[in-house]
Amino acid sequence: MKAIFIAAGYGSRLKQDIPKPLVEINGSSILQRQISLFQKHGIDDIVIIVGPEKEKFNLKNVRYINDIDFDKHEQLGSLMAGKSEINNDVIILFADILFDDQILDQMLQSTSDIAVALDLDWEKSYLERIDNPSSEADKILIKNDEVVKISKNIDSNKIDEDVGEFLGLLKLSNYGSKIFVEMYDKLIKTHKGKFHEAASFNNAKLLDFLQEILESNFKLTPIVTQGKWCEIDTPLDLERAKNMFI
């Protein structure tokens, strides 16, 4: 098992003088906390995709991939700077999230080819995140225990549907990794124009690509998480994280 962290963003909303994944939460950086969690669960193959200020990343016992084109593409392009690492069983995650053992356990137990983590109780957190509107949440629509849509723009009141927030955490099997890479290689050569919610494929985020996979008739398995987690985008998020993860 391998873990790949996407850590090539600017994180400008947090207003710190270091890359967001390196910001400390009660004495340990966001990234170090999550690396330690993975290592605790026996996952020692850690890959970190870095971009701006890469020289500030000096964590030990990890491998770095430098996204030299970080300013030319979005989230998906940064992940695919490490495309050669997407093989066998792999967990892919944003480097600005924190989650606990319970959530990682749930992901590791999944035997699905493409499993995505979501929180059905997500709206409560936005009552505290007043500088981060809920409209910006990456959402997952599920029906009959299957993902039917993944997008920022989801609103459903149907009794047989649920809407959750995507944690920025997914797990791929060996076959799932193969599908993931093959689809990207095809699209990067052929796709022109708007790509789901992105202005172009070059500007695509991870949720855009996951929606494309879904529309290509590959199943995304929802993992409805039960543990504690948070995303850290703004100063208020940082304070919230410090209260949640002592």
Side-chain angles (χ1 to χ4, degrees), residues 12-81:
S12 56
R13 283 195 291 167
L14 197 54
K15 301 177 181 177
Q16 299 281 325
D17 58 359
I18 57 174
K20 183 164 56 169
L22 300 181
V23 171
E24 286 196 357
I25 306 292
N26 298 322
S28 186
S29 71
I30 298 168
L31 196 49
Q32 184 58 66
R33 280 177 172 269
Q34 294 305 90
I35 290 170
S36 296
L37 178 63
F38 277 92
Q39 291 172 336
K40 177 182 173 182
H41 286 257
I43 301 170
D44 295 313
D45 191 1
I46 306 291
V47 177
I48 303 172
I49 300 172
V50 295
E53 300 184 290
K54 63 182 184 299
E55 69 281 355
K56 294 186 178 180
F57 288 81
N58 56 9
L59 298 165
K60 306 299 182 185
N61 301 315
V62 301
R63 294 186 289 123
Y64 291 102
I65 292 176
N66 184 17
D67 175 14
I68 59 174
D69 294 321
F70 65 85
D71 57 347
K72 297 178 182 177
H73 51 218
E74 250 290 354
Q75 211 173 63
L76 178 63
S78 283
L79 171 60
M80 288 306 181

